[in-house]
Amino acid sequence: MGRLKFGIIGCGLISNWHADAILRIADAELVAATDVSEKSRKAFSEKYNVKVYDTVEELLADNVDVVSICTPSGLHAPLAIQAINAGKHVIIEKPMAITLEQADEIIEAAEKNDVKVSVISQLRFSNAVQRVKRAINENLLGKLVSGDVYMKFYRSQEYYDQSGWRGTWKMDGGGALMNQGIHGIDLLCYLMGPVKYVHGFTRTLVRNIEVEDTASAILEYENGALGVIQGTTSIYPGLPRRIEISGDKGTVILEEDKIVKWCIEGQETPADLVSESSTTRSFSDPAAFGIEGHLLQISDMVDAIKSNRRPMVDQYEGRKPVELILAIYESSRTGKTVKLGK
Ligand SMILES: NC(=O)c1ccc[n+]([C@@H]2O[C@H](COP(=O)([O-])OP(=O)(O)OC[C@H]3O[C@@H](n4cnc5c(N)ncnc54)[C@H](O)[C@@H]3O)[C@@H](O)[C@H]2O)c1
């Protein structure tokens, strides 16, 4: 197998992270893109010197091996299924889908066509998150007691007004949780393991949008630990995402992509481990983060295809945060605690 040929569907903001990452991967090349907007197609082809097609069908008929789906979230599932049924491996931006039925259709299509799927959750690939994951796997924190994520972000009304799809149920699928908060929720599921029960409250307190701009939820994990999710896009000035994991033998706290506390009973904290603060500012500016996460995740996908193994965040992993977020929405709607899983 030679270099993998990539095509991108949707040439908006996040497509630049995909294109810049693909261009840096030796075993990958960017060959084509498509967008419904002629202006976006033109700008993308000029920036990346790549062939652009008017339609998804034309792009899929080209000799591409992997398709990155970078459209508004409500289109992820139909486009992913179309690409999978054309025999392509797919990388899907988060969220994988905005309903569980859609997520399951992607899973079924990928199994039937025997292709790989990677759902973007670039934060999982950071050294800090991997270090915390190892500590939990090695039982350094002891019996897990609590796992919390605080995502108190800032997005202006202009951010929502600039594009017609943001803040809508149909195309965003939700707000502070389904769009901005899914990264932290995915990390919580990854680090703490499956959630058994959730009770949530979602509200639209400040922004003029259909979906929630603020949410709080309490959780019970299958391992018995309890937890909290807080997400908002409406507080000024926006604070770094904070994940706090504690067990009876230790606590670690992540702030954005850095470990800010590492305290394990009977152990000296390694000097190189704990940072003062993180460098990303995406909690207050949606474009203020580097390409390292996408580079690592797309490299993982290339390697998974070449060596025929599962990508680190495949379709089964991508479904988990969507299931939890939809359960929080259901709990808020019904006033009842929701049990997860089938
Ligand atoms: N991983 C991250 O950190 C991250 C960051 C930002 C956005 N995202 C995700 O990426 C996706 C896109 O977000 P964005 O900020 O780039 O949005 P955007 O509005 O800037 O870009 C979306 C593009 O898709 C195009 N498009 C719409 N319908 C299409 C169709 N049917 N076929 C082809 N192109 C179509 C639009 O014309 C637009 O150019 C969202 O799902 C979002 O959740 C992820």
Side-chain angles (χ1 to χ4, degrees), residues 47-105:
K47 181 169 178 190
Y48 292 105
N49 192 22
V50 70
K51 199 167 29 178
V52 287
Y53 290 110
D54 292 355
T55 66
V56 170
E57 287 71 24
E58 287 170 279
L59 177 123
L60 295 178
D62 195 346
N63 187 22
V64 295
D65 305 298
V66 191
V67 174
S68 273
I69 297 177
C70 300
T71 60
S73 309
L75 297 170
H76 289 180
L79 290 169
I81 291 165
Q82 194 179 346
I84 290 169
N85 285 336
K88 313 296 181 187
H89 303 289
V90 294
I91 296 177
I92 313 174
E93 260 303 338
K94 56 78 188 164
M96 169 184 181
I98 60 170
T99 68
L100 281 186
E101 292 72 25
Q102 289 181 339
D104 290 337
E105 281 174 36

Side-chain angles (χ1 to χ4, degrees), residues 9-14 34-37 40 56 70-73 75-76 93-95 120 122 165-166 179 183 289 294:
I9 304 180
C11 302
L13 178 74
I14 203 63
T34 182
D35 195 294
V36 283
S37 147
S40 302
V56 170
C70 300
T71 60
S73 309
L75 297 170
H76 289 180
E93 260 303 338
K94 56 78 188 164
I120 293 290
Q122 74 267 23
W165 68 272
R166 292 207 175 97
N179 187 325
H183 291 290
F289 65 100
H294 279 80

Side-chain angles (χ1 to χ4, degrees), residues 39 41 66 84 96 127 145 152 169 186 285 304 328 330:
K39 194 169 154 220
R41 285 198 299 272
V66 191
I84 290 169
M96 169 184 181
N127 287 335
V145 172
K152 298 183 184 178
W169 284 112
D186 180 62
D285 175 352
I328 295 171
E330 183 188 334

Side-chain angles (χ1 to χ4, degrees), residues 23-49:
L23 292 175
R24 284 171 173 74
I25 300 171
D27 277 338
E29 61 181 312
L30 180 60
V31 298
T34 182
D35 195 294
V36 283
S37 147
E38 193 185 342
K39 194 169 154 220
S40 302
R41 285 198 299 272
K42 191 162 177 285
F44 194 85
S45 89
E46 281 169 6
K47 181 169 178 190
Y48 292 105
N49 192 22

